[in-house]
Amino acid sequence: MTIAAAFAIPGALDTPTGGYEYDRKLLEAAPAVGLALSHLPLSGGFPRPTRAEAEAAIAAMAAAPGPVLVDGLALGALPAEAIPEALGARLIALCHHPLGLETGLSAEASARMLAAEAAALARCAGVVTTSRTTAETLRTRLGVPAARIAVAPPGLTPAPRAPRRRDPAPMILGVGTISARKDWGTLVAALSRLADRDWTCAIAGDDARDPDAAQALRAAIETAGLAPRIRLTGALGRAALDALYLDADLFCLPSRYEGYGMVIVEAMMRGLPVVACNAGAVPEAAGGAARLVPPGDPEAMAKALAVVLDDAEEADRMAAASRAHALSLPGWEDAARIVAGQLAGLRAEPLRDMREHSA
């Protein structure tokens, strides 16, 4: 039996972030599991929509027949009181990570956003998250009952192993938007401690979404005297990014929080040793195959990178562990199947048993 549903997504579907990649892959994989998922575009003003944009999003979802899967970038920013009960009864929220946990928010702003997102989730019939870690966060901090949450980890597309030539110097690759949460400044500070070693670095990510973070990163690179060795590529398409993975010798993600960390497992599929921060769902995604350090600790990151740069045998061991872990992970059809099950099991009424949450 085919399940038909709309998938409400704010902004441009081709935006080069992990969240949008998840949405694109889910749309592609859905037909193979009997899920007819139609793209319902919403305004690009989220997660800070105007009142008119929020009202238009709710109207568009209300007009869609049948179940509606809504990306959390939109759902988390909608006023709960404006979501009709009839719509909430057929809404499934896809939460990549709570909007209120974005790095750089004041304590007051974070609490306000978490409370608003909890209220919006209370109007929905169910939730899909991309990790067990995020599911637990929704349960403990936003009061979503565990029975109403389905975890659909990102799939992983097969890809060839990187040759890791280390010639003329090992290339350290980082992938992710230039933003406060990704914390590329910690990587730069770590690399400044390793200036006596041979290495180059490429950071691939959109540098236009957070101009202040991009300016601060460029200034940090210049101040450290590393401009000849660290390259910012800007946002890359899939083919260019795949080529960069194959040119890399090791991978680093200094992020302060991740709802999953798709780029980590993408790097592992290429057989790259991975150094990352023990933040959010990163340990879950890495599956014990990465070297993890505390977030925001350049000294610890420098030591971890030094091990991979200096010890070829350990680097090879980590590379093999990366590849083995990646090959054990599910595919996109598995994720689509879980989402289809959540959509098929919609209750007749919206959630009413949300307990009081504490932000």
Side-chain angles (χ1 to χ4, degrees):
M1 180 181 71
T2 298
I3 302 165
F7 190 1
I9 304 171
L13 187 57
D14 61 355
T15 301
T17 68
Y20 281 99
E21 175 79 356
Y22 186 102
D23 294 352
R24 291 191 295 269
K25 291 294 188 179
L26 195 59
L27 284 165
E28 292 173 8
V33 300
L35 177 58
L37 203 55
S38 59
H39 177 207
L40 176 61
L42 302 179
S43 164
F46 290 90
R48 295 178 178 82
T50 64
R51 179 177 177 179
E53 288 171 329
E55 290 175 349
I58 292 170
M61 291 188 291
V68 178
L69 178 68
V70 54
D71 189 280
L73 188 64
L75 188 280
L78 292 176
E81 66 277 7
I83 302 174
E85 286 196 9
L87 171 59
R90 53 192 181 89
L91 274 185
I92 296 292
L94 169 60
C95 182
H96 302 282
H97 68 79
L99 300 179
L101 297 184
E102 190 66 37
T103 300
L105 295 174
S106 67
E108 179 183 359
S110 175
R112 184 174 62 251
M113 292 178 72
L114 288 172
E117 189 161 6
L121 288 170
R123 305 290 286 183
C124 297
V127 183
V128 172
T129 70
T130 58
S131 68
R132 297 186 305 276
T133 302
T134 300
E136 182 64 7
T137 299
L138 294 182
R139 186 187 71 79
T140 58
R141 298 196 63 177
L142 281 76
V144 182
R148 301 293 179 86
I149 304 173
V151 179
L156 188 56
T157 303
R161 188 194 303 265
R164 297 175 53 235
R165 301 180 185 90
R166 301 176 67 92
D167 182 39
M171 196 266 270
I172 301 165
L173 173 63
V175 178
T177 303
I178 310 303
S179 67
R181 178 164 60 86
K182 298 299 182 181
D183 193 18
W184 297 111
T186 287
L187 175 58
V188 173
L191 291 176
S192 71
R193 291 163 165 79
L194 303 174
D196 60 330
R197 291 167 169 82
D198 286 334
W199 53 262
T200 63
C201 177
I203 299 174
D206 190 345
D207 56 2
R209 292 172 66 85
D210 188 338
D212 290 342
Q215 182 178 3
L217 178 59
R218 292 189 181 94
I221 293 171
E222 288 289 342
T223 300
L226 297 177
R229 302 176 70 179
I230 300 177
R231 175 168 57 106
L232 305 182
T233 72
L236 297 179
R238 187 74 253 177
L241 183 57
D242 286 343
L244 201 56
Y245 274 123
L246 291 176
D247 283 341
D249 294 284
L250 61 133
F251 183 86
C252 184
L253 183 69
S255 184
R256 289 180 176 266
Y257 185 84
E258 291 292 336
Y260 182 76
M262 288 172 57
V263 293
I264 288 175
V265 294
E266 286 185 358
M268 288 182 164
M269 175 59 76
R270 275 72 176 189
L272 294 176
V274 171
V275 173
C277 287
N278 187 356
V282 169
E284 180 181 337
R291 192 170 284 262
L292 301 181
V293 301
D297 188 337
E299 185 66 33
M301 179 161 285
K303 289 178 180 178
L305 289 170
V307 170
V308 184
L309 290 170
D310 297 345
D311 188 338
E313 184 175 333
E314 175 62 8
D316 288 344
R317 186 201 66 76
M318 290 176 63
S322 284
R323 181 75 172 177
H325 174 58
L327 291 173
S328 75
L329 295 174
W332 285 107
E333 288 185 14
D334 298 290
R337 194 171 290 109
I338 293 168
V339 173
Q342 190 76 329
L343 288 166
L346 286 179
R347 296 171 182 265
E349 296 292 334
L351 290 177
R352 297 183 183 277
D353 57 346
M354 299 290 284
R355 64 193 180 195
E356 289 294 316
H357 65 276
S358 172

